[in-house]
């Protein structure tokens, strides 16, 4: 009988890629379900995946979405009550008999030195899962390469530049396709013991190199055939920019904390997890730039 896997946050950057890669993964047949706040996304229907409504503020949608689920890819919204949302969902998962949770966390969740809001909340959410008794794996990725598309592509297209309060600090940016590949391997497992090889493990997921934003701009320039400049800005200017884009004060403060530890060098570490789990080297920033070149022109 095919196992049933539910992917939460399925319309997001990582979740949508997890769904895509689960569908193309070799091995035993799996029943893939995609959960999002709205179940009206035609993308999933076109892929032959059942779309389910899962609104963390509507408990009935949580229990309904988890019914009959064997394994869960858990991606909770990053907001101030994230731990409570995680707790509510994990309680329902336990009632539903979910056998395995793969949670997307964040690089540094286990690093007490960071002690910033994103790390602290993700670690608290991890502890909720640990205490539930449900077998788990934690994926702790660094900044996504795709953030350059999500947050900076408009400015690159219109101004030939992007603006970040990171000075010359380096970060080991990771392509979400690699995060998804680790998630899929963790959920399905093609090895002899399958998912048993991953239970109760935490993987720091990074790219294969640490780059400054200035170096990233140079690579983008080369790969897309258009000059791209990186402008280091102050925290104050970053706050104003995020506020103008509609971000709330809590999110802005959390992002400023993240850029603070970036400048401190905490996000420059390089992990071997992608190759260790998938057998493939991480996608390079150059490859990412080539693949997404159209987003920046």
């Amino acid at each position: 009988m095919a196992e049933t896997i539910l992917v939460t946050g399925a319309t997001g950057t990582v979740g949508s890629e997890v769904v895509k890669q689960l569908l193309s993964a070799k091995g035993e047949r799996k029943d893939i379900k995609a959960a999002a706040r709205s179940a009206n996304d035609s993308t999933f229907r076109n892929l032959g995946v059942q779309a389910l409504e899962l609104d963390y503020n509507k408990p009935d949608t949580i229990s309904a979405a988890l019914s009959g689920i064997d394994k869960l890819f858990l991606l909770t919204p990053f907001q101030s009550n994230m731990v409570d949302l995680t707790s509510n969902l994990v309680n329902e998962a336990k009632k539903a008999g979910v056998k395995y949770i793969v949670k997307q966390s964040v690089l540094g969740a286990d690093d007490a030195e960071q002690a910033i809001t994103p790390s602290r909340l993700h670690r608290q959410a991890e502890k909720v899962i640990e205490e539930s008794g449900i077998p788990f794996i934690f994926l702790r990725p660094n900044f996504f390469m795709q953030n350059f598309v999500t947050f900076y592509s408009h400015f690159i297209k219109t101004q030939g530049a992007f603006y970040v309060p990171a000075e010359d600090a380096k970060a080991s940016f990771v392509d979400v396709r690699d995060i998804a590949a680790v998630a899929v391997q963790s959920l399905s497992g093609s090895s002899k013991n399958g998912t048993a090889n991953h239970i109760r493990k935490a993987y720091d997921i990074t790219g294969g190199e640490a780059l400054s934003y200035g170096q990233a701009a140079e690579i983008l320039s080369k790969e897309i055939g258009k000059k791209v400049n990186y402008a280091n800005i102050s925290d104050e200017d970053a706050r104003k920019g995020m506020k103008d884009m509609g971000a709330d004060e809590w999110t802005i403060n959390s992002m400023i904390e993240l850029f603070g530890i970036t400048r401190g060098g905490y996000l420059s570490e390089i992990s071997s997890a992608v190759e260790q789990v998938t057998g493939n080297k991480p996608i390079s920033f150059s490859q990412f730039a080539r693949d997404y070149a159209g987003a920046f022109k």
Side-chain angles (χ1 to χ4, degrees):
M1 186 175 179
E3 63 184 12
T4 303
I5 299 175
L6 179 67
V7 178
T8 65
T11 57
T13 305
V14 177
S16 59
E17 185 65 27
V18 171
V19 171
K20 177 182 175 182
Q21 292 193 29
L22 278 171
L23 288 171
S24 62
K26 297 179 181 179
E28 295 180 6
R29 187 176 69 83
K30 299 169 181 61
D31 184 10
I32 313 301
K33 297 185 178 182
R37 184 173 296 178
S38 171
N40 297 320
D41 195 314
S42 61
T43 303
F44 298 122
R45 289 194 295 275
N46 293 338
L47 292 172
V49 175
Q50 182 181 357
L52 302 174
E53 179 187 4
L54 195 160
D55 187 329
Y56 288 92
N57 296 311
K58 298 178 180 178
D60 56 321
T61 68
I62 298 175
S63 56
L66 290 170
S67 178
I69 299 301
D70 297 305
K71 297 178 179 179
L72 173 67
F73 177 75
L74 178 57
L75 199 164
T76 46
F78 180 60
Q79 52 194 57
S80 59
N81 64 340
M82 184 180 74
V83 178
D84 289 337
L85 296 180
T86 302
S87 182
N88 293 340
L89 190 142
V90 170
N91 287 337
E92 291 298 330
K94 195 168 183 177
K95 292 178 188 176
V98 172
K99 301 178 182 67
Y100 188 54
I101 296 175
V102 174
K103 170 185 161 46
Q104 181 177 313
S105 184
V106 66
L107 187 69
D110 59 339
D111 188 347
E113 284 187 39
Q114 290 190 18
I116 63 170
T117 300
S119 305
R120 177 172 50 81
L121 291 184
H122 274 288
R123 182 61 192 132
Q124 290 174 7
E126 290 179 352
K127 288 180 179 178
V128 168
I129 297 170
E130 290 173 349
E131 293 166 2
S132 73
I134 301 174
F136 64 84
I137 175 176
F138 300 143
L139 308 184
R140 296 170 175 163
N142 204 347
F143 283 131
F144 306 161
M145 292 180 186
Q146 280 74 5
N147 286 351
F148 282 82
V149 176
T150 305
F151 300 116
Y152 311 139
S153 61
H154 169 74
F155 300 102
I156 291 173
K157 284 191 287 189
T158 59
Q159 302 175 23
F162 60 95
Y163 309 86
V164 188
E167 297 176 351
D168 294 325
K170 293 184 177 181
S172 50
F173 303 105
V174 61
D175 194 298
V176 298
R177 292 171 291 184
D178 283 332
I179 302 170
V182 175
V184 169
Q185 185 66 28
S186 303
L187 285 163
S188 55
S190 60
S191 57
K192 183 177 179 181
N193 296 320
T195 54
N197 286 342
H198 305 289
I199 288 177
R200 300 191 70 83
K201 290 185 178 179
Y203 292 114
D204 292 341
I205 306 177
T206 75
E209 59 185 339
L211 299 170
S212 69
Y213 281 91
Q215 290 173 316
E218 291 175 0
I219 293 171
L220 282 169
S221 299
K222 176 184 176 182
E223 299 296 348
I224 71 176
K226 167 186 173 179
K227 178 62 177 174
V228 177
N229 293 305
Y230 157 59
N232 177 57
I233 58 174
S234 66
D235 283 350
E236 291 71 23
D237 285 340
R239 281 182 180 278
K240 183 180 184 303
M242 286 186 278
K243 187 172 183 178
D244 289 344
M245 294 173 68
D248 61 71
E249 195 68 19
W250 185 86
T251 300
I252 292 171
N253 289 337
S254 298
M255 290 305 300
I256 293 298
E257 286 183 282
L258 265 174
F259 285 119
I261 65 166
T262 301
R263 294 192 298 266
Y266 287 98
L267 299 184
S268 62
E269 69 173 82
I270 296 172
S271 163
S272 62
V274 171
E275 186 168 8
Q276 176 188 343
V277 176
T278 71
N280 299 315
K281 292 187 179 298
I283 295 168
S284 68
F285 194 83
S286 294
Q287 184 65 55
F288 157 77
R290 288 194 292 273
D291 292 345
Y292 287 82
F296 302 106
K297 295 181 179 179

